[in-house]
Amino acid sequence: MRRTHVQILERVLATIPIALGVAIAVFIFMRLMPGDPVDIMIGEAGGVTQEDIHALKTELGLDQSLPVQLGRYLAGLVRGDLGYSIPSSRPVAVVILEALPATMELALCSLLFALVIAVPIGVVSAVRQRSFIDRTSMAASFLGISMPAFWLGILGIIVFSLHLRWLPTSGRITYGFEPATITGLFTVDALLTGNMPALWDALKHLALPAATLGAGVAAVVARVVRSSMLEVLRADYVLFARAKGVVERAVTIRHALRNALIPTVTVVGLQVGTLLGGNMIVESIFGWPGLGRVVVDAIFSRDYPLVQAAVMVYALTFVVVNLATDVLYTYLNPKMTL
Amino acid sequence: MRALRDSPICLEGIEAIDEGRRAAPGREVRRPYDFQEAYEVRAARTRGSWGTGPLGLAVRNFLSFARQMAGNPAAVIGGVVILLYVAVAIFAPWVAPCAPDQVALSERLAPPSWIGEFPLGTDQLGRDILSRIIYGARVSILVGVLTIAISVTVGVGLGVVAGYFRGSFDRIVSRFTDLLLAFPYLIFVIGAMAVLGPGFWNLIWALSFKGWVEFYRLARAEVMSEKTREYVEAARALGRSHAAIICSEILPNVVHSILVLGTLRMGNMIVLESSLSFLGLGIPPRIPAWGSMVNDGRRYMLTAWWVATLPGLALVGLVLAINLVGEALRDVLDPRLKEG
């Protein structure tokens, strides 16, 4: 057990150079952008003198040498200072923190949706291999893998919002229904304050975006659960459990599924990248006021500090989730070393 | 004997045993048979009528591969659909009923009708959707083929060198790939397109800039494991140069898994391209592309569902076909890549 802790610590430390690399890559990226921020800020205002430009550059620290700028930038990052959004002059960190709860709520619900659907499907498909259920659900998950999220979302809106009128087309909650802010996640806040109308409204707004984003993940996870279940069901300990006279249901769930979930954890961790990327698309389709939509809007308004900071938030989240997945994996599977 | 000769399961089981590993899940030898007999089958296959030279071997390998693919209905359907898309894309000017940018404002948002002038309806500018879908196939197929070609060339080139020679080159390139892997794909490409601006070639470069990493890692790992095999040592003992060993000994043995991964990733590239075009960050609006067509249709979803949905259907059809072929290739060529 002690060795495991040392290994986990090593793995955590190995993430630091990656995070630093991400920050430096983003900094270099920023310098590659056509036009520097001052040109963009001044671009629209007329009658600006060279002195003004120079003063602004000094103020923003752009007159310093690149290594100095890099040092300041990294120091700012450590303090959580990500600079200012160009059109609104608001601190980037504030803009990101405002949008983050919406994105987290959407991503978590999508993940939950995917797991609730995919794990039972994978188990049943494996237990009844080559049955009608198996073939249908594997065909469906194959379709899910090939289907782009943006199209699925559009279909969902046309069918469920516009024609059946069951669900709202966009937004996160109906105006006036917002629960008191505790965590920033509307569903959790509504539950905590016992505000049932708000919970119901938030869930109705969540349903389509979460299903759209979760469908692709569910498709991948169902296939992995199925194939690892198939492998595990052939293992000796399953045979032994059956020979002992354990009920088949208990064999499936307690002996097989628990072990089959180990490889699933890794795949789910990798799917977080899909969730993060997909939420830009899904948020933009459903007008979800999260980080993804902030980034897409920021690209169009050429708000580079915001784009860079958000890309970095995404990349670091991805790195941290992958790290957490690896650590969790060693706990689930003590034979595995990092 | 006859039945065994045509059974892929049998041969794979033998190869697995030869290599001292378990056959991939779901691919184990399922029927009882005599090992001696199976070895004879393999020997019989290697003799055949094409001679025992390298050319004969290549022809025989290809024929056996083609037989296996033809016996897989999903692969055949996928292949036919892909050929159809490619043919339509190449002959777009002759196949499409209208020019893709021909505007007819009097006909705007006309619904699909089999007997009318516009079988799949028109968009908000009265442009024929069928013609735009046909021209849109060109962008999707070109993006898929070009990004995979660039990614494979760069990734396999660097991966083979890194895996064969190791050393500081391997260390530097591998650290760089670790860094690229820290970015989720779509976010990386969105960031890159923010720098480069929309455009066909910008999109190709943005997609390829991260696309090569997976091929690099695959090629590097494959070369590292192949390098320890006897045939490589034999070639080295015969005094062959490194370049000759890489090109004529190792590469032919790793090309299978690269082909499989390349096919499976081509579908992803096409989806990424249309997702970016959907966001308005990919292909510039004047070129018809499926993603931007879906985006155009978003404002008319209630009154004209066909504008947003039909181009997406074309996209799903192509990606599905490519993935069907990719999975069939994997089952035939490289069952180890199977998930889980």
Side-chain angles (χ1 to χ4, degrees):
Chain A
M1 208 54 199
R2 229 185 113 198
R3 268 198 67 210
T4 320
H5 286 307
V6 172
Q7 280 171 342
I8 290 173
L9 190 68
E10 277 172 4
R11 184 71 177 72
V12 172
L13 291 177
T15 314
I16 294 173
I18 297 262
L20 192 68
V22 167
I24 293 174
V26 168
F27 176 82
I28 295 171
F29 221 51
M30 227 151 138
R31 310 293 128 169
L32 292 176
M33 296 270 186
D36 67 65
V38 175
D39 294 337
I40 297 166
M41 282 166 92
I42 289 177
E44 284 148 26
V48 183
T49 62
Q50 277 302 316
E51 285 85 66
D52 292 337
I53 293 179
H54 192 75
L56 194 54
K57 285 200 173 177
T58 313
E59 191 191 317
L60 293 172
L62 291 175
D63 55 340
Q64 307 279 344
S65 67
L66 277 183
V68 173
Q69 285 189 40
L70 178 63
R72 284 187 175 186
Y73 162 77
L74 291 177
L77 278 186
V78 174
R79 291 195 309 267
D81 176 7
L82 300 169
Y84 290 85
S85 158
I86 293 173
S88 67
S89 310
R90 298 174 64 212
V92 166
V94 172
V95 176
I96 288 181
L97 283 179
E98 274 175 8
L100 215 49
T103 294
M104 278 170 58
E105 186 168 37
L106 178 56
L108 291 176
C109 285
S110 309
L111 193 58
L112 194 69
F113 169 85
L115 293 179
V116 165
I117 296 231
V119 172
I121 285 184
V123 171
V124 172
S125 300
V127 173
R128 307 247 162 106
Q129 199 191 354
R130 292 186 239 288
S131 69
F132 177 72
I133 301 178
D134 179 28
R135 287 180 200 280
T136 323
S137 52
M138 283 308 111
S141 77
F142 192 76
L143 195 67
I145 286 174
S146 311
M147 184 119 65
F150 70 89
W151 192 63
L152 198 61
I154 297 270
L155 285 188
I157 291 182
I158 291 181
V159 175
F160 294 104
S161 304
L162 297 178
H163 286 279
L164 296 174
R165 297 180 176 278
W166 288 350
L167 299 165
T169 49
S170 73
R172 208 178 150 203
I173 198 156
T174 309
Y175 184 75
F177 273 81
E178 297 87 346
T181 309
I182 301 169
T183 57
L185 310 181
F186 284 168
T187 44
V188 178
D189 290 352
L191 264 181
L192 290 177
T193 54
N195 187 346
M196 286 306 137
L199 178 66
W200 179 238
D201 194 70
L203 284 176
K204 277 208 299 199
H205 279 86
L206 257 172
L208 268 185
T212 305
L213 189 50
V217 179
V220 176
V221 173
R223 287 162 65 103
V224 174
V225 171
R226 177 181 178 270
S227 66
S228 48
M229 272 299 278
L230 282 177
E231 198 167 335
V232 168
L233 282 172
R234 277 194 291 259
D236 289 341
Y237 57 81
V238 168
L239 188 66
F240 180 66
R242 279 191 188 132
K244 266 198 315 188
V246 178
V247 193
E248 193 57 32
R249 179 181 294 263
V251 171
T252 311
I253 293 176
R254 206 152 359 115
H255 295 258
L257 180 60
R258 272 177 67 171
N259 288 294
L261 283 181
I262 296 174
T264 311
V265 167
T266 312
V267 172
V268 170
L270 288 174
Q271 285 299 307
V272 169
T274 316
L275 280 178
L276 292 175
N279 87 34
M280 293 201 174
I281 306 251
V282 171
E283 286 181 8
S284 125
I285 298 173
F286 291 96
W288 191 263
L291 194 52
R293 212 174 59 145
V294 166
V295 177
V296 174
D297 290 347
I299 289 173
F300 285 112
S301 61
R302 296 164 66 85
D303 189 352
Y304 295 138
L306 187 50
V307 176
Q308 297 316 306
V311 167
M312 204 158 74
V313 169
Y314 276 121
L316 292 182
T317 312
F318 190 48
V319 170
V320 169
V321 169
N322 281 341
L323 171 69
T325 311
D326 286 355
V327 171
L328 186 62
Y329 195 94
T330 52
Y331 277 109
L332 288 175
N333 185 1
K335 278 191 293 186
M336 180 70 196
T337 51
L338 284 171
Chain B
M1 194 69 184
R2 191 76 218 163
L4 274 175
R5 177 179 301 222
D6 296 327
S7 142
I9 301 163
C10 189
L11 199 62
E12 225 171 86
I14 290 284
E15 275 162 9
I17 292 159
D18 274 357
E19 290 165 22
R21 62 177 163 86
R22 276 188 61 200
R27 288 243 148 210
E28 298 97 335
V29 184
R30 284 201 199 86
R31 60 193 94 164
Y33 63 89
D34 187 290
F35 277 115
Q36 190 54 46
E37 196 182 11
Y39 271 110
E40 277 165 19
V41 170
R42 189 167 64 164
R45 271 200 203 177
T46 341
R47 282 192 300 273
S49 54
W50 290 94
T52 48
L55 184 68
L57 190 70
V59 170
R60 239 184 349 262
N61 279 343
F62 180 76
L63 286 181
S64 122
F65 162 72
R67 235 190 339 266
Q68 280 179 315
M69 288 298 279
N72 182 334
V76 174
I77 295 172
V80 169
V81 172
I82 293 174
L83 283 182
L84 210 70
Y85 270 91
V86 171
V88 162
I90 292 176
F91 300 109
W94 294 277
V95 181
C98 306
D101 46 6
Q102 186 187 317
V103 175
L105 287 174
S106 58
E107 303 280 355
R108 58 197 301 273
L109 300 178
S113 78
W114 288 112
I115 40 164
E117 196 186 341
F118 307 108
L120 299 183
T122 59
D123 68 4
Q124 72 282 5
L125 295 176
R127 294 175 294 193
D128 178 35
I129 289 184
L130 175 63
S131 306
R132 287 178 70 73
I133 287 179
I134 288 173
Y135 275 89
R138 293 185 152 187
V139 166
S140 287
I141 292 170
L142 269 182
V143 168
V145 170
L146 285 173
T147 47
I148 292 297
I150 295 172
S151 301
V152 166
T153 312
V154 175
V156 174
L158 293 176
V160 166
V161 173
Y164 189 86
F165 295 106
R166 309 297 303 273
S168 50
F169 176 79
D170 177 31
R171 269 197 301 280
I172 293 168
V173 181
S174 294
R175 283 296 86 75
F176 184 58
T177 59
D178 286 346
L179 187 61
L180 282 178
L181 284 176
F183 295 92
Y185 211 131
L186 189 62
I187 287 158
F188 178 87
V189 182
I190 285 177
M193 290 307 282
V195 179
L196 298 168
F200 180 77
W201 284 104
N202 289 354
L203 185 61
I204 302 273
W205 293 126
L207 287 170
S208 313
F209 197 77
K210 192 170 147 66
W212 64 274
V213 171
E214 246 188 312
F215 294 95
Y216 166 82
R217 289 166 73 95
L218 178 66
R220 175 176 173 273
E222 291 270 328
V223 168
M224 272 161 55
S225 86
E226 290 295 319
K227 204 187 157 188
T228 59
R229 303 272 290 266
E230 286 90 349
Y231 73 89
V232 176
E233 288 194 6
R236 207 176 297 155
L238 285 172
R240 303 198 65 181
S241 70
H242 289 310
I245 292 176
I246 290 175
C247 294
S248 61
E249 303 287 339
I250 295 182
L251 267 184
N253 284 298
V254 302
V255 78
H256 289 173
S257 18
I258 289 157
L259 183 67
V260 171
L261 187 68
T263 317
L264 289 172
R265 287 295 164 266
M266 191 176 289
N268 294 15
M269 292 293 191
I270 292 174
V271 169
L272 275 173
E273 173 272 310
S274 54
S275 303
L276 284 160
S277 300
F278 173 79
L279 290 175
L281 293 167
I283 302 294
R286 61 193 155 74
I287 305 174
W290 295 335
S292 46
M293 289 171 73
V294 174
N295 191 29
D296 285 343
R298 279 168 74 186
R299 268 172 296 164
Y300 311 99
M301 280 189 296
L302 186 57
T303 50
W305 56 268
W306 54 91
V307 187
T309 50
L310 296 178
L313 202 60
L315 171 68
V316 172
L318 177 60
V319 175
L320 209 57
I322 292 177
N323 285 347
L324 280 177
V325 172
E327 299 225 333
L329 278 176
R330 182 190 59 195
D331 291 351
V332 171
L333 294 177
D334 200 354
R336 276 173 308 158
L337 277 178
K338 227 170 184 162
E339 285 144 53

